[in-house]
C-alpha cells in the first residue's frame, strides 16, 4: 500500500460555526441603537421566544453558560443529599452537584447508548437520594421512560444534561420535554452556540419564575431580594449572535449528516471498530462522531490510535476519558470504585471522538478513515 502523507494542517476534533461578520455588525448596530447591553434586553427576549419554538418546549430561560444553568437547575428544585449520575460525561455534570453540596453517586452506563444504565439506577437509591441527573451523551437519548418510571416510584426529580442534544427529538417531541428540567449548552464547540451560553427548559410556569429570579441574584424588584441568586444572565451581544446562529444550525446539521454517512460507509465493516448506535424514531443532531476501538480485535489500543493520529496531524479526542469517577475530587467515593462501573471503565478505554464539523471535506473524512485502517494489525 502507498504511504499516506500527514495532513498539511492540523485537523481538530471540531471547529466552531462562524456567522457572516456582516450579519453580526448589523445586529451590533441594533444593540448600539437600543442602548441596552444586558439584563433581559430585547435580543434576550426575542432569543428566548425563538428557542422555545425551535426546541418545542413550554418554557425556556437563557443563561450565560450551561454549567451555571445546571447549578441553578439543582437550586431551583432544592436538591440536596445524593444525586445519581453518570461518570461518562464532561466534568461539569458532577461538578454542579458539588457546587450544590450534593454528593454525586456514579451509576454504570449502558454498553450500547453509553448513557446511564436505567436498569442499574434503582440499586443506587438510598434514603438520601433526591434526584437523577442523566446526560444524553453524544446526543443519543437516555431511556427517558424508564428513568421517569423509577423517579415517579421513588419520588425523585429528574434533570437532563442535554448539552449534546440540541434539536434532538423523540417521536416528534423535543428532547427538552422529558424530566423536570433539561439543560442545553450553547458553548462555541456545540452544534448551536451563542459563543458562550446555555438554557434551562421545563414545563412549569412557577419554576420559570424561580429560575429567572435565581439567575439574577434573586432580585424581585428594587425593594426585594427574595433568594440567594447568582449572575447567570446572557448579555445582548451573545443573544444577538444566538439569533443569527439559529439560521445556521440546520445547514450545519445537514453537512454533519453527510459526513456521518461517509464515516459509517468507511468504518462499519472494519473489525474492531464500533460505530455510533442508531436510534429508531429519534431525530438526531449528528453533533459528534464517536467510535470505539476494541484492542483485542483491532490489534491496536485506542491510546495507540490517538497518539499515531497526531503524527498525521489528526487531533481526535478521548471523550470521555478519564471518567469523572477517576478525578481526584471524586475517586474516593464508594460509587467510583471501578467494580461498580465495569462498562464505563471499559468504554472509557475505547472511545475516540473523530473530527466532525461542517467545514470538513468528504475527502478529509475518507483520508482520516484510511489512516485509521492502516493502523490495524
Ligand atoms: C459542554 C458541556 C457542558 C457545559 O456547558 P458550558 O456551556 O460549557 O458550561 C455540560 N455538560 C456537557 C455534557 C457538556 O458537553
Amino acid at each position: 500500500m502507498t504511504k499516506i502523507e500527514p495532513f498539511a494542517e492540523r485537523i481538530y476534533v471540531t471547529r466552531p460555526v462562524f456567522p457572516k461578520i456582516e450579519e453580526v455588525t448589523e445586529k451590533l448596530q441594533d444593540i448600539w441603537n437600543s442602548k441596552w447591553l444586558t439584563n433581559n434586553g430585547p435580543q434576550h427576549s426575542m432569543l428566548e421566544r425563538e428557542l422555545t419554538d425551535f426546541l418545542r418546549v413550554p418554557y425556556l430561560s437563557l443563561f450565560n453558560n450551561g454549567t451555571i444553568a445546571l447549578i441553578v437547575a439543582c437550586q431551583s428544585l432544592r436538591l440536596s443529599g445524593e444525586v445519581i449520575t453518570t461518570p461518562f460525561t464532561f466534568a461539569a455534570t458532577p461538578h454542579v452537584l458539588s457546587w450544590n453540596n450534593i454528593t454525586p453517586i456514579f451509576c454504570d452506563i449502558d454498553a450500547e447508548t453509553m448513557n446511564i444504565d436505567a436498569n442499574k439506577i434503582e440499586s443506587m437509591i438510598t434514603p438520601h437520594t433526591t434526584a437523577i441527573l442523566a446526560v444524553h451523551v453524544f446526543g443519543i437519548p437516555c431511556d427517558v421512560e424508564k428513568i421517569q418510571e423509577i423517579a415517579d416510584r421513588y419520588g425523585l426529580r429528574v434533570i437532563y444534561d442535554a448539552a449534546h442534544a440540541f434539536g434532538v427529538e423523540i417521536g416528534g417531541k423535543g428532547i427538552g420535554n422529558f424530566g423536570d428540567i433539561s439543560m442545553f449548552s450553547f458553548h462555541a464547540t456545540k452544534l448551536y452556540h451563542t459563543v458562550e451560553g446555555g438554557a434551562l427548559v421545563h414545563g412549569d410556569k412557577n419554576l420559570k419564575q424561580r429560575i429567572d429570579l435565581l439567575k439574577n441574584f434573586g432580585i424581585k424588584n428594587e425593594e426585594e431580594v427574595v433568594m440567594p441568586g447568582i449572575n447567570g444572565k446572557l448579555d445582548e451581544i451573545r443573544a444577538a449572535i444566538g439569533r443569527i446562529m439559529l439560521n445556521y444550525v440546520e445547514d450545519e446539521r445537514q453537512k454533519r449528516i453527510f459526513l456521518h454517512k461517509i464515516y459509517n460507509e468507511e468504518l462499519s465493516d472494519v473489525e474492531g471498530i464500533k460505530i455510533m448506535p442508531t436510534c429508531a424514531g429519534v431525530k438526531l443532531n449528528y453533533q459528534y462522531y464517536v467510535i470505539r476501538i476494541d484492542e483485542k480485535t483491532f490489534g491496536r489500543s485506542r491510546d495507540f490510535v490517538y497518539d499515531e493520529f497526531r503524527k498525521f496531524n489528526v487531533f481526535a479526542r478521548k471523550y470521555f476519558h478519564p471518567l469523572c469517577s477517576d478525578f481526584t475530587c471524586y475517586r474516593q467515593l464508594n460509587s467510583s470504585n471501578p467494580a461498580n462501573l465495569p462498562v464505563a471503565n471499559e468504554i472509557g478505554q475505547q472511545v475516540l471522538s473523530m473530527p466532525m464539523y461542517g467545514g470538513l471535506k468528504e475527502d478529509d473524512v475518507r483520508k482520516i478513515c484510511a489512516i485509521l485502517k492502516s493502523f490495524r494489525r
Side-chain angles (χ1 to χ4, degrees):
M1 205 174 93
T2 55
K3 191 173 170 294
I4 306 173
E5 291 298 321
F7 282 97
E9 281 170 31
R10 284 186 176 192
I11 305 274
Y12 291 104
V13 73
T14 195
R15 281 269 157 108
V17 184
F18 275 77
K20 287 199 199 74
I21 199 156
E22 297 79 23
E23 291 180 77
V24 178
T25 48
E26 190 183 313
K27 280 270 189 305
L28 285 178
Q29 189 61 60
D30 293 346
I31 294 170
W32 260 241
N33 293 345
S34 78
K35 300 189 166 50
W36 199 332
L37 282 176
T38 188
N39 287 11
N40 210 11
Q43 299 294 332
H44 183 283
S45 306
M46 287 187 273
L47 181 59
E48 274 199 353
R49 267 204 306 278
E50 289 161 7
L51 279 170
T52 304
D53 292 344
F54 194 97
L55 295 171
R56 300 168 184 244
V57 290
Y59 298 102
L60 179 144
S61 299
L62 288 170
F63 276 85
N64 48 7
N65 63 63
T67 305
I68 295 283
L70 210 45
I71 287 174
V72 167
C74 297
Q75 288 276 317
S76 73
L77 297 175
R78 301 178 174 87
L79 302 184
S80 62
E82 298 174 355
V83 168
I84 297 170
T85 190
T86 169
F88 191 70
T89 181
F90 183 58
T93 315
H95 286 353
V96 303
L97 299 175
S98 293
W99 277 70
N100 279 282
N101 276 319
I102 293 165
T103 307
I105 303 296
F106 294 114
C107 177
D108 206 6
I109 62 173
D110 179 87
E112 278 305 307
T113 64
M114 300 182 266
N115 290 324
I116 192 165
D117 186 343
N119 295 314
K120 291 185 183 151
I121 291 174
E122 212 169 335
S123 66
M124 313 294 293
I125 296 173
T126 76
H128 305 293
T129 310
T130 54
I132 299 162
L133 171 56
V135 185
H136 303 298
V137 178
F138 308 134
I140 308 287
C142 292
D143 188 343
V144 290
E145 275 173 29
K146 175 106 205 204
I147 290 172
Q148 194 59 55
E149 186 260 308
I150 296 166
D152 289 345
R153 202 142 33 86
Y154 288 88
L156 305 177
R157 298 292 204 159
V158 178
I159 299 181
Y160 285 107
D161 177 337
H164 295 179
F166 187 87
V168 172
E169 295 180 3
I170 304 176
K173 215 170 151 186
I175 196 151
N177 291 288
F178 300 92
D180 293 283
I181 301 182
S182 295
M183 176 278 276
F184 291 92
S185 164
F186 306 148
H187 183 259
T189 57
K190 308 299 205 257
L191 182 73
Y192 166 80
H193 74 85
T194 61
V195 184
E196 291 262 6
L200 293 181
V201 307
H202 50 83
D204 179 344
K205 197 169 175 196
N206 294 328
L207 197 54
K208 166 133 177 95
Q209 256 172 17
R210 190 170 157 74
I211 287 169
D212 287 347
L213 279 169
L214 279 167
K215 79 170 195 193
N216 187 31
F217 312 101
I219 297 175
K220 189 173 172 193
N221 55 48
E222 285 181 29
E223 301 293 330
E224 291 171 281
V225 177
V226 293
M227 57 185 81
I230 199 165
N231 182 356
K233 291 175 279 113
L234 187 72
D235 62 77
E236 288 291 279
I237 297 177
R238 290 193 178 92
I241 291 177
R243 296 186 62 217
I244 297 167
M245 295 314 295
L246 268 178
N247 297 322
Y248 284 78
V249 60
E250 184 54 24
D251 181 58
E252 178 67 17
R253 179 172 168 273
Q254 290 299 331
K255 287 176 178 160
R256 294 190 193 201
I257 289 178
F258 175 72
L259 298 175
H260 191 103
K261 280 203 191 105
I262 305 295
Y263 270 123
N264 276 356
E265 203 179 294
E266 293 283 345
L267 300 179
S268 52
D269 293 333
V270 181
E271 211 191 333
I273 301 276
K274 192 171 165 60
I275 60 171
M276 289 192 78
T278 51
C279 314
V282 175
K283 179 186 171 190
L284 296 170
N285 67 10
Y286 300 92
Q287 179 166 330
Y288 301 98
Y289 195 88
V290 180
I291 60 168
R292 281 152 65 178
I293 300 165
D294 177 10
E295 186 175 1
K296 278 194 220 83
T297 44
F298 190 70
R300 298 291 196 186
S301 68
R302 185 275 315 275
D303 287 344
F304 176 93
V305 171
Y306 170 86
D307 291 338
E308 287 299 304
F309 256 152
R310 291 169 76 102
K311 296 179 187 164
F312 288 86
N313 258 342
V314 176
F315 286 72
R317 294 292 296 270
K318 304 177 193 178
Y319 296 138
F320 291 103
H321 171 89
L323 298 176
C324 296
S325 48
D326 288 336
F327 296 173
T328 50
C329 48
Y330 300 123
R331 68 181 178 210
Q332 78 290 352
L333 296 171
N334 285 335
S335 65
S336 292
N337 188 337
N340 177 51
L341 306 166
V343 180
N345 276 278
E346 185 181 19
I347 291 179
Q349 294 298 324
Q350 297 181 335
V351 276
L352 194 63
S353 237
M354 304 292 279
M356 177 53 102
Y357 51 93
L360 202 59
K361 302 272 179 293
E362 173 180 347
D363 287 350
D364 295 338
V365 173
R366 295 211 188 270
K367 178 165 163 169
I368 291 165
C369 292
I371 295 168
L372 174 62
K373 287 185 255 192
S374 76
F375 296 151
R376 196 164 176 275
R377 285 290 171 272

